Amino acid sequence: MGPSMEITLFNTLTRSKAPLQTVAPGKVGLYTCGPTVYNYLHVGNYRTYVFEDVLRRGLGYLGRDVYHVMNITDVGHLTSDADTGEDKLELGAARTGKTAWEVAEFYTQTFVADSKQLNLLPPHVLCRATDHIPEQIELIQKLEKKGFTYRTSDGIYYDTDKFADYGKLMGASHKEGIKAGARVELSPEKRNPSDFAVWKFSPKDKKRQMEWDSPWGKGFPGWHIECSAMAMRYLGETFDIHCGGVDHVTIHHTNEIAQAEAATGKPFVSVWMHGEFLLMNKAKMAKSAGGFLRLADLEEKGFSPLDYRYLCLTAHYRKQLDFSWEALEGAKTAFRKLSDRAQMLDSEAKGGASDPKLAEFVERFRGRVADDLDMPGALATVWDALKPGALSEAAQLAFLTEADSVLGLGLIKAASDGLSADLQALLDQRAQARTNKDFKASDELRQKLAQAGVLVEDTAQGQRWVRR
Ligand code: AMP
Ligand code: ZN
């Protein structure tokens, strides 16, 4: 990895591409909205998480030190955007005969398991809304003190008229629609159609399974407050990149900005990035629409999670992707060909990788990643590098190993095979030693690992290892 390269990203906020500038040079604070855990996730959700994983890997590959925070929405998600209707988790509990807590835990675990199969790097912090109720209450209190909230019979609401910049993320045309009340029905007690609940009171006639005491009465947090509160808790009041699917632009992220910026008076996020939808039969794949597919449904038809990951890589994240079995079949064929080739090179390629053309391919690949994550372009570069005679086999292997740190397809098995517990323990100790700046200990551990055939290398993202 050479010196860090400029990275250009499309920012929903400015509706344009610009070079990434971060609060701290070389470091990126990244927040990605996690799932609502009242049901299985569908492959549409995973398209967004694959995009975010490629972003994280790409930033790391291009020399940035990424700190990734993702939330788990395990409370208080209502069935409609209008802050009315029933709670999805409590509905899920009624449907399955489990408690709301058990439902949330069950689907959180399925999400973690699926994520592993898709080679999604685990976030540095995976934070549950229910573990951060005090932070959410504190943020609401700040908003209350500054006069941004009002009380109705069912909760505490955010007055969007008080925040001059409300709706800046979605642009003027959308904003007018929302003001006119096109988006949500106007509850008689709401001052503006776009106002939203930050705290909801528990119903008087029904005991909720998830509820907390607050200065305003027993209840639960609104839809959006958890992300503003947890993002600021872990990444600071202003941080670098915040992502989600495009459906989050007009409501969820718009409201996150309103809450955070009203409370702090500072810009919340520099770059907002949104992944386009996976479509099924020309419509957004959605949990509520019935016709949705899980990873397990793909596996039943003989497709691995990584076949699906490959399919995601073939489309730019800002373009819609039509799901079809034919497209998935095509992705599977290409991915298996790539992976077979990688295996062959891994076992047979000999000699040094010092092919003068290697640097050219690497540069081209880096350029595609740095250009707003042009993964179709990056994949095309990979296929070009594998053409007979394009590079020596050793150089092809070196190139694929590098490219796969972004593609995340697990192409080079030997390098991605797990280590024994003993060796892993040495690696962990060494990481700790480096954190403690105990370089003498870290060097000794490096030597021990080398004797056991594991070569350790320090990168901006921490230590990396390969087998000798
Ligand atoms: P949710 O659990 O509904 O908050 O969704 C989790 C993530 O998946 C969010 O970032 C959504 O924007 C995203 N998402 C939902 N449906 C789709 C879809 N059909 N294609 C791509 N991303 C989606
Ligand atoms: Zn969020």
Side-chain angles (χ1 to χ4, degrees):
M1 267 192 289
S4 67
M5 181 182 237
E6 182 167 277
I7 303 172
T8 305
L9 299 172
F10 185 88
N11 187 350
T12 308
L13 194 58
T14 57
R15 278 158 279 279
S16 61
K17 277 204 225 177
L20 173 66
Q21 283 181 332
T22 54
V23 176
K27 296 195 170 179
V28 180
L30 171 68
Y31 187 92
T32 59
C33 286
T36 312
V37 285
Y38 67 96
N39 200 342
Y40 291 106
L41 277 78
H42 54 69
V43 293
N45 301 126
Y46 286 121
R47 179 180 184 205
T48 293
Y49 296 125
V50 167
F51 140 61
E52 292 163 348
D53 182 65
V54 169
L55 171 67
R56 165 159 165 204
R57 287 168 178 272
L59 291 167
Y61 172 64
L62 296 169
R64 305 318 193 263
D65 184 1
V66 184
Y67 191 65
H68 177 197
V69 178
M70 180 188 273
N71 67 302
I72 295 283
T73 300
D74 58 352
V75 64
H77 229 165
L78 302 173
T79 43
S80 102
D81 288 344
D83 292 315
T84 57
E86 284 188 87
D87 183 287
K88 288 173 180 170
L89 260 169
E90 307 248 341
L91 273 183
R95 192 181 69 229
T96 55
K98 295 180 183 162
T99 69
W101 296 93
E102 286 166 344
V103 170
E105 188 53 31
F106 177 80
Y107 292 114
T108 302
Q109 290 316 321
T110 64
F111 169 64
V112 169
D114 282 355
S115 299
K116 207 166 168 193
Q117 288 202 295
L118 281 164
N119 281 350
L120 306 181
L121 297 173
H124 300 96
V125 176
L126 185 66
C127 44
R128 289 173 168 80
T130 53
D131 289 335
H132 297 77
I133 302 294
E135 287 91 334
Q136 297 174 64
I137 289 177
E138 201 180 300
L139 181 55
I140 301 167
Q141 283 178 308
K142 263 194 201 158
L143 292 170
E144 185 178 43
K145 244 185 229 140
K146 291 193 169 188
F148 283 95
T149 60
Y150 60 92
R151 191 184 184 106
T152 75
S153 56
D154 69 1
I156 305 297
Y157 280 77
Y158 184 104
D159 186 344
T160 52
D161 233 16
K162 295 257 163 74
F163 183 61
D165 271 349
Y166 187 77
K168 65 178 169 182
L169 189 63
M170 58 185 131
S173 53
H174 269 88
K175 200 170 155 180
E176 285 316 303
I178 284 182
K179 289 267 175 200
R183 178 175 54 122
V184 291
E185 68 254 38
L186 190 53
S187 106
E189 289 181 80
K190 280 205 319 191
R191 293 182 187 165
N192 309 287
S194 50
D195 292 356
F196 55 93
V198 287
W199 188 264
K200 292 277 282 187
F201 303 135
S202 292
K204 300 215 161 48
D205 52 341
K206 225 163 78 187
K207 170 100 179 90
R208 279 178 56 88
Q209 297 183 22
M210 286 186 171
E211 58 182 10
W212 293 265
D213 288 323
S214 83
W216 312 279
K218 224 183 230 352
F220 57 103
W223 221 38
H224 317 292
I225 198 82
E226 67 179 70
C227 284
S228 303
M230 294 192 284
M232 291 196 285
R233 150 91 197 264
Y234 291 105
L235 295 167
E237 291 181 342
T238 300
F239 63 93
D240 304 306
I241 306 182
H242 193 315
C243 308
V246 280
D247 51 338
H248 282 348
V249 176
T250 53
I251 303 169
H252 184 53
H253 289 168
T254 286
N255 292 345
E256 274 190 47
I257 293 174
Q259 294 166 148
E261 298 194 352
T264 67
K266 295 177 193 161
F268 178 40
V269 170
S270 309
V271 184
W272 287 89
M273 294 179 70
H274 293 97
E276 255 299 348
F277 287 147
L278 181 77
L279 304 183
M280 174 112 143
N281 307 322
K282 305 267 175 275
K284 173 197 175 196
M285 188 179 286
K287 285 176 204 172
S288 47
F292 77 76
L293 294 168
R294 294 167 44 199
L295 279 186
D297 296 319
L298 306 194
E299 287 181 280
E300 220 162 78
K301 296 212 177 201
F303 297 100
S304 77
L306 294 181
D307 295 334
Y308 178 66
R309 185 175 171 112
Y310 189 98
L311 177 67
C312 293
L313 295 174
T314 62
H316 190 263
Y317 76 91
R318 286 193 291 118
K319 294 232 164 72
Q320 294 186 333
L321 173 61
D322 268 309
F323 181 86
S324 71
W325 294 107
E326 297 73 44
L328 187 58
E329 192 67 55
K332 174 180 171 176
T333 307
F335 168 56
R336 305 277 166 112
K337 199 172 143 199
L338 184 61
S339 153
D340 288 350
R341 181 103 180 107
Q343 286 311 294
M344 191 281 288
L345 290 169
D346 195 23
S347 56
E348 289 176 19
K350 300 272 179 322
S354 61
D355 185 324
K357 282 183 293 167
L358 175 59
E360 276 171 43
F361 277 104
V362 167
E363 206 50 26
R364 209 177 118 194
F365 183 83
R366 286 164 63 92
R368 291 303 81 222
V369 176
D371 179 10
D372 194 29
L373 301 181
D374 173 14
M375 296 319 288
L379 268 186
T381 308
V382 169
W383 285 110
D384 283 348
L386 291 179
K387 281 187 184 149
L391 288 172
S392 72
E393 290 201 332
Q396 286 177 332
L397 177 63
F399 176 71
L400 269 187
T401 308
E402 181 161 339
D404 199 41
S405 69
V406 185
L407 303 176
L409 291 168
L411 294 173
I412 312 296
K413 295 286 185 307
S416 55
D417 274 353
L419 284 178
S420 71
D422 287 351
L423 289 175
Q424 187 59 51
L426 290 180
L427 270 181
D428 293 345
Q429 283 171 30
R430 184 168 182 279
Q432 190 57 51
R434 283 186 61 80
T435 308
N436 301 342
K437 302 214 177 323
D438 183 351
F439 297 112
K440 185 166 168 282
S442 90
D443 275 349
E444 284 167 13
L445 287 159
R446 181 206 297 280
Q447 280 170 23
K448 262 197 198 165
L449 283 155
Q451 281 159 13
V454 175
L455 298 184
V456 190
E457 181 188 308
D458 295 304
T459 74
Q461 302 81 263
Q463 62 184 11
R464 271 206 319 215
W465 59 269
V466 286
R467 282 188 201 279
R468 184 157 40 196

